[in-house]
Each structure stands twice: as structure tokens, then as C-alpha cells.
């Protein structure tokens, strides 16, 4: 069976997608690492093959770009230094770390991914 991970930008969208595509037969998938982002599961037939659909979501920005500690006090840093300064990509709060770990665990199990994104600049940037 093919496993497809579906990721929505918001928990309510993940639930709605699950309800519609499963025709109301979705079930809660094993506990999410994030209490705000539940996982849902249902099976669908696609071109004569059964697919296991897992749907989850994110909330907010998982990653952030920031300057190093030495450049955080912008009153004491020449702004021109910021144009060439290295930036660090980090996963923010503990709740975001739980969302990221949930995605990692589900992605390891799945064969395909579908991103359910808003039709805006942010959605385009994610894609």
C-alpha cells in the first residue's frame, strides 16, 4: 500500500481535508508529537491501488533565520555589516520542535507528500 503524507498550513484545514476526502470515515492516527496538530488517517482507492492517506498540519513558521548573538543588538551594529553577515536557520520554540518531529516521524513512513498550502506568497515560498 502506498502511504501519502498530506501537510496543511493549519489544523482546521487538515481536519477539513480529512473529512471531505475520507467522506467522514477518517480516524485519528497515532498520537502526534504536537498537541495542537493532530494526525488523521484514511484509505482511498487511486487508480485501482489502495493508498493510506495521513493528514497533519503545521502552525506558524517552523524555522526562522536570525543573525548570530554578536549582531543582535542592532543599535551597536553597522547596518552594512548585516548584508554580508551569516544567518542561522533554527527551529523556534519547543512547540515548533514538536511539530517538526511529528513531520519527521510521519515522513519516514510515507512514500509521497502532498502540501496543502494557502494560495499566497507564503504558500508559494513553502512550495
Amino acid at each position: 500500500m502506498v502511504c501519502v503524507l498530506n501537510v496543511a498550513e493549519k489544523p482546521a484545514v487538515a481536519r477539513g481535508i480529512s473529512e471531505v476526502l475520507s467522506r467522514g470515515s477518517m480516524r485519528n492516527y497515532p498520537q502526534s508529537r504536537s498537541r495542537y496538530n493532530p494526525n488523521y488517517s484514511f484509505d482511498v482507492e487511486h487508480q485501482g491501488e489502495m493508498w493510506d492517506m495521513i493528514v497533519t498540519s503545521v502552525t506558524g513558521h517552523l524555522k526562522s533565520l536570525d543573525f548570530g548573538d554578536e549582531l543582535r543588538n542592532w543599535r551597536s551594529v553597522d547596518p552594512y555589516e548585516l548584508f554580508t553577515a551569516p544567518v542561522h536557520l533554527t527551529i523556534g520554540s519547543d512547540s515548533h520542535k514538536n511539530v517538526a518531529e511529528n513531520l519527521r516521524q510521519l515522513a519516514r513512513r510515507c512514500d509521497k507528500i502532498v502540501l496543502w498550502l494557502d494560495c499566497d506568497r507564503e504558500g508559494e515560498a513553502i512550495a
Side-chain angles (χ1 to χ4, degrees):
M1 184 179 313
V2 175
C3 182
V4 182
L5 175 58
N6 295 264
V7 182
E9 278 193 73
K10 299 169 190 74
V13 173
R15 181 176 180 80
I17 289 166
S18 298
E19 287 175 347
V20 170
L21 294 181
S22 72
R23 297 182 178 160
S25 68
M26 93 266 197
R27 55 198 175 276
N28 287 333
Y29 191 73
Q31 188 66 34
S32 171
R33 293 286 305 244
S34 169
R35 68 185 219 184
Y36 303 109
N37 304 85
N39 301 326
Y40 304 100
S41 178
F42 56 93
D43 297 331
V44 296
E45 185 178 341
H46 179 69
Q47 297 180 344
E49 186 177 26
M50 291 306 294
W51 285 20
D52 180 20
M53 304 290 276
I54 299 172
V55 185
T56 192
S57 63
V58 295
T59 42
H61 297 266
L62 290 182
K63 295 184 176 183
S64 62
L65 286 174
D66 211 344
F67 296 109
D69 291 337
E70 68 281 359
L71 298 174
R72 292 223 179 153
N73 185 350
W74 289 23
R75 292 182 183 169
S76 64
V77 174
D78 180 358
Y80 290 104
E81 283 184 57
L82 301 177
F83 286 102
T84 57
V87 291
H88 306 281
L89 184 63
T90 59
I91 295 178
S93 67
D94 286 341
S95 65
H96 285 136
K97 289 178 184 174
N98 290 337
V99 172
E101 185 56 33
N102 186 52
L103 290 173
R104 275 189 212 101
Q105 286 180 352
L106 295 173
R108 285 186 192 112
R109 183 177 181 278
C110 292
D111 306 299
K112 300 177 184 290
I113 186 167
V114 176
L115 301 176
W116 296 86
L117 306 173
D118 291 347
C119 212
D120 59 12
R121 285 185 187 187
E122 191 173 70
E124 288 179 14
I126 294 168

